[in-house]
Structures are given as C-alpha cells and as structure tokens.
Amino acid sequence: MPAAPGNEGEALRSVWLECGPLTVEVGATPVLIGRAEGCHVLLDDAKVSRRHAQVYLSHGDLVLEDLGSVNGVHFGGARISGPVALRVGDRFTIGNAEFVVQPADFRASPRAAGTKRLGAETVNAMSAPVLETMAAEAPEVSVSSLPTHTLELLGGVADKMLARGLPEEAERVLGAFLNNVLVAARERRTLDPGVVDKASYFSLKLAAATGRGAWSDWVLSLHLALGRLLPGPQVEQLYQVQRAAPPSLGVLREYLAQQQATVDRLSPSERFSLQRLMGLERALAAR
C-alpha cells in the first residue's frame, strides 16, 4: 500500500479522528467503529454495522479499512473496496457520521479544547476515554439551571458509561444533579414533574448498576419529601433492582406510613402500587 500523500514522508505515530464533538486518538491500537458494545467509537445509526470499520497505524501510515459492512465506508466520494491510506485533513463517512483526520497536536489547539462539552450538538459517538473525561469535567449544577431535556442528555451520557462498565463515572455525571433535586424537594422548592420522573428513573438505573441501595433510598426519600406516591413503572423498577440494591427498611417504612395515611384519596391503580410497595417491605423484612 503506498504511503499516504500529504504526510510529507514522515511516519505517523499518532493522529486524531474528529467526529462532531468527539475526538479519539489513533495510536498503536486500532480504533474500531460500529454499533456493537466493545467498539471504541459507538455510532447510534441504523446504517452502521455492528463492527463497521477500523482505523489504525501501519508502518507509519494511517489506514482505513471496511470490515465487511452492509452500507460501506465512503472516502473521496466513493465507497472503498479495500484498505485505504489516509492523510491529515482527509474526511470519510460512516452512515451519517463524518470523520476528519487531525494532526497529533490537535487536542492542544484552541479549537479542540471546546470539543469536550455537553450540548445540543453532542452526537451518539463516544469512546470510553472521552466519556471518562466528560465525567471528570461534569460541573455541579443546580436544578433550576437544568431543564428536563438537559437531564436526558446527562442521562444519555451516563447510559453510555454504564454500557462501558463505568458505573462510578455515571455516578459522577448524575450524582450532583440528583442530590440537588432531593435538596430542592426537601426545601419545598417547585420541581418540574418531568425532572422528578427522569431523575427517579436514572437513580434506579444507578442502583442497579452500582449495587448501592442508597440510590433506591434516594427515590423513596424524594417522593417522601414531595408527599407523592411512587408511580407504577418506578415501583416495578424498584422491584427489579431490590435484590442487587435494596432500599433500607427504615426509609421504606417511613415512606409507607406517609402514603397509608392518604389511602382514602388514592385511585385503584395507585392503591395497587401502594400494595406492591407493602409487599416489598414484607419481602425485605423476611430476609
């Protein structure tokens, strides 16, 4: 395979692939791109195969290779049919994602410094190192500054971390926000119902992933502070996580006592949810 033009005869030791806000380094280890868990770059795109393509360095050349994908890899306006040598500045597309080859010092440039951000332009293509960096840089934020759609964005990042087997990083992204939600509820501040529901959902996902019952307690404590019955879907979610991350009996019993005092005002479906929680209390007490 001929040397890639434009590299001026110099053997490459490292380059960066840029895709929207994602940057991933290509060094000695090939970068695998696809939809399957285990790929270095995950693309949430129906046009992308599970193991679609890989990019790697070979004897100083940067190589792009299609791994037998259905829809192919496009470079220079055409679908590639074999390994292709790339140079800095080249672009190729996989599904709806366009990748740009950037030089080794790209991450030190002012432009690259802005790529690690959570915003509307975030794409569903992130490598584990990028996720870890985003988690480390996730700011502590107040409830009032984050609407439901932003919580969904943070939760999406956390979901990708959980899929990568990084529950502690997922906690780091969501923990500050979830704790602020609980504080706001205890201070009787007005909370968007969508924030309450989404925060509860993600808290129980953290409980399942980390095995920490404190996240199950968090959901009960939030609804205790709000004086609100836990919705049916979240009751079922609590049942699903209770073996790995059971709530404490003390918190559950305090919550049940509050809700039983309002049983006359509950609808039939709400009474069923309350009965399910009472059954959970009996099961936990019998352990």
Side-chain angles (χ1 to χ4, degrees), residues 58-122:
S58 175
H59 304 293
D61 291 328
L62 182 66
V63 182
L64 169 65
E65 183 179 2
D66 189 338
L67 298 177
S69 68
V70 174
N71 293 305
V73 179
H74 290 80
F75 169 66
R79 179 170 177 168
I80 67 174
S81 58
V84 173
L86 301 176
R87 62 182 180 183
V88 171
D90 279 345
R91 298 171 181 265
F92 63 90
T93 59
I94 294 177
N96 293 315
E98 182 180 64
F99 292 80
V100 183
V101 180
Q102 300 288 2
D105 61 355
F106 172 68
R107 284 291 289 272
S109 70
R111 178 185 171 198
T115 62
K116 300 176 296 178
R117 63 181 180 272
L118 294 174
E121 59 277 355
T122 300

Side-chain angles (χ1 to χ4, degrees), residues 10 35 44 48 80 83 95 101 150 191 220 243 266:
E10 296 182 6
R35 283 194 300 115
D44 186 10
V48 175
I80 67 174
V101 180
T150 311
L191 288 174
L220 294 171
R243 289 198 175 277
L266 299 180

Side-chain angles (χ1 to χ4, degrees), residues 12-15 26-30 55-63:
L12 295 174
R13 292 191 177 91
S14 173
V15 295
V26 183
T29 302
V55 182
Y56 57 93
L57 289 173
S58 175
H59 304 293
D61 291 328
L62 182 66
V63 182

Side-chain angles (χ1 to χ4, degrees), residues 229-237 269 273:
L229 182 66
L230 198 64
Q234 290 172 5
V235 172
E236 298 309 313
Q237 194 181 1
S269 62
S273 293

Side-chain angles (χ1 to χ4, degrees), residues 113-159:
T115 62
K116 300 176 296 178
R117 63 181 180 272
L118 294 174
E121 59 277 355
T122 300
V123 297
N124 289 324
M126 300 182 183
S127 65
V130 172
L131 290 175
E132 292 171 13
T133 301
M134 291 171 71
E137 296 180 353
E140 293 190 7
V141 290
S142 67
V143 175
S144 60
S145 68
L146 281 182
T148 305
H149 70 83
T150 311
L151 173 56
E152 290 175 349
L153 175 61
L154 292 176
V157 175
D159 278 337

